[in-house]
Amino acid sequence: MSTDAQVGIVLVSHSGPVAEAVAELARGLAAGGATAPVAAAGGTRAGGLGTSAELIADAARSVDAGAGIAVLVDLGSAVLTVKAMLAEGDELPDGARLVDAPFVEGAVAALVTASAGGDLDAVAAAASEAYDYRKA
Amino acid sequence: MLDAAFFHRWMTTVTALVDREAERLTELDSAIGDADHGSNLRRGFTAVSAALEKEPQQTPGAVLALAGRQLISTVGGASGPLYGTLLRRTGKALGDAPAVTADELAQALGTGVAAVAQLGGARAGDKTMLDALLPAVDALGTSFAAGREAALAGAEATVPLQARKGRASYLGERSIGHQDPGAASAALLMAALADTEDTAGGAA
């Protein structure tokens, strides 16, 4: 928390509208000042359902301020594509991390924490803790 | 010995097979998946063949690494990172040798298949591509033709299984009675390898 740079958040969904809407929801709930950078990478480049490694790489670059990047994902190919990109080593900026978290709740927790100046560990922990909130 | 040209032909042959069988793969996927396996793989392998045409690679490892990278960036579904990881890890295991033996390829494919299992967290019997790939890799030690047969038998053996991975797993018992589309496409990959050897006149 010693530097000014904020952790970036990347939201990877099978659907472009879902990723955009969750980013907008998180921005709305994290408001009260400038929020940390958050980018949506949903659907394929052609606008269909699926995952695009290129959109994910672009989104990660756009939120990279040098403080790390928390990547949140929804289903199947979104999970596997990010894991495969991380395994390759040079497809995502240094400091990019796949965070194990529920997509919507985790995105809000991550953005609030990042906007408050939390480091990558704090952002990842906040997003993961969203699993602990039982709804019934 | 198998050189870069052999691996390039293998990828071209897979592309043709996937193109020919795309509708069957999508039909299998419409029973227990989201009905895009054929079109996704067709798009991916078409990109692989185009990339290899544009940038011919000098070693077997480089051919497979380029192919894997293309699949991850163009497929759009889970089969992209899975097949991409399979080919890339196999390519990495082959290193930068200008040519490799059939045994070396079989061993490298074993490394690639293990990486796929790790990425997807699946095991034999989960009704996935591994059910074709695992027996194929074992059989490749005998011959590529044996690998083709083992992959095909493995794919057919997924019919009575209940899916435990991916979207099909949500169907529970209703996934029983359908062949896994990923195992079916994995059988095409192994068939293409044996076909490539046949047309090379037993180059191995």
Side-chain angles (χ1 to χ4, degrees), chain B residues 22-48:
Chain B
E23 271 156 49
R24 182 176 67 92
L25 293 176
T26 289
E27 213 173 279
L28 293 174
D29 196 32
S30 67
I32 58 171
D34 51 358
D36 60 5
H37 192 54
S39 49
N40 280 350
L41 275 192
R42 176 190 265 155
R43 181 170 57 249
F45 278 106
T46 300
V48 166

Side-chain angles (χ1 to χ4, degrees), chain A residues 7-124:
Chain A
V7 172
I9 315 284
V10 173
L11 303 177
V12 184
S13 169
H14 270 56
S15 150
V18 167
E20 292 290 350
V22 172
E24 194 186 322
L25 173 67
R27 279 190 209 102
L29 296 180
T35 62
V38 53
T44 63
R45 204 177 257 299
L49 296 178
T51 307
S52 162
E54 289 170 2
L55 290 181
I56 296 168
D58 290 349
R61 273 193 294 274
S62 78
V63 300
D64 183 19
I69 298 164
V71 184
L72 279 79
V73 299
D74 62 357
L75 308 162
S77 69
V79 182
L80 295 176
T81 300
V82 171
K83 279 189 179 174
M85 290 173 81
L86 287 169
E88 177 69 351
D90 57 358
E91 296 194 6
L92 291 172
D94 285 345
R97 187 191 300 179
L98 173 61
V99 172
D100 185 19
F103 193 61
V104 178
E105 295 86 340
V108 174
L111 191 59
V112 169
T113 307
S115 301
D119 63 12
L120 184 56
D121 285 338
V123 169

Side-chain angles (χ1 to χ4, degrees), chain B residues 135-161:
Chain B
V137 164
D138 283 342
L140 281 180
T142 309
S143 71
F144 288 175
R148 167 170 52 193
E149 294 313 310
L152 195 60
E156 284 167 359
T158 63
V159 172
L161 298 177

